């Protein structure tokens, strides 16, 4: 199951546990647990990107719609790529 989830992560630049769960026909919580396990095993790394704005845009007409939600990304490590090459 971990290999299948790793393969799904490798297919997309933006991951979503719910979309991985849907593609593999498994529960969302199982995917979240598997991602945590893959992180612990060193097959993937996670980075949280927090948007920032260097300009003073509080007066901008669009300031209410700016993205202020952090985004988590996953990267497959060399160790993870070796596993994928053996699938």
């Amino acid at each position: 199951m971990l290999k299948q989830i790793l393969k799904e992560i490798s297919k997309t630049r933006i991951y979503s546990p719910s979309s991985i769960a849907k593609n593999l026909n498994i529960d969302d919580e199982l995917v979240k647990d598997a991602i945590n396990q893959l992180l612990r095993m060193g097959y993937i790394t996670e980075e949280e990107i927090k948007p920032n704005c260097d300009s003073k845009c509080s007066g901008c007409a669009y300031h209410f719609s700016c993205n202020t939600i952090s985004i988590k990304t996953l990267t497959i490590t060399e160790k993870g790529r070796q596993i994928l090459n053996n699938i």
Side-chain angles (χ1 to χ4, degrees):
M1 181 62 59
L2 289 176
K3 288 180 183 178
Q4 291 173 316
I5 292 173
L6 186 63
K7 187 174 181 180
E8 285 295 314
I9 292 169
S10 74
K11 290 180 183 179
T12 182
R13 294 178 53 88
I14 300 172
Y15 84 97
S16 162
S18 59
S19 65
I20 292 171
K22 184 178 178 182
N23 289 345
L24 296 177
N25 198 30
I26 57 176
D27 186 69
D28 286 9
E29 289 302 314
L30 182 60
V31 172
K32 290 175 187 175
D33 289 342
I35 288 172
N36 286 331
Q37 190 169 357
L38 289 166
L39 285 165
R40 284 190 304 273
M41 296 170 72
Y43 293 122
I44 58 176
T45 58
E46 182 178 58
E47 181 179 357
E48 188 169 353
I49 302 169
K50 295 186 181 194
N52 63 10
C53 183
D54 295 330
S55 66
K56 305 238 187 254
C57 65
S58 61
C60 172
Y62 299 104
H63 76 277
F64 290 112
S65 63
C66 285
N67 186 5
T68 57
I69 300 170
S70 62
I71 300 168
K72 291 184 179 179
T73 61
L74 296 176
T75 303
I76 298 175
T77 63
E78 183 59 36
K79 185 177 177 181
R81 280 191 221 95
Q82 289 175 0
I83 293 295
L84 288 173
N85 289 336
N86 292 327
I87 294 179

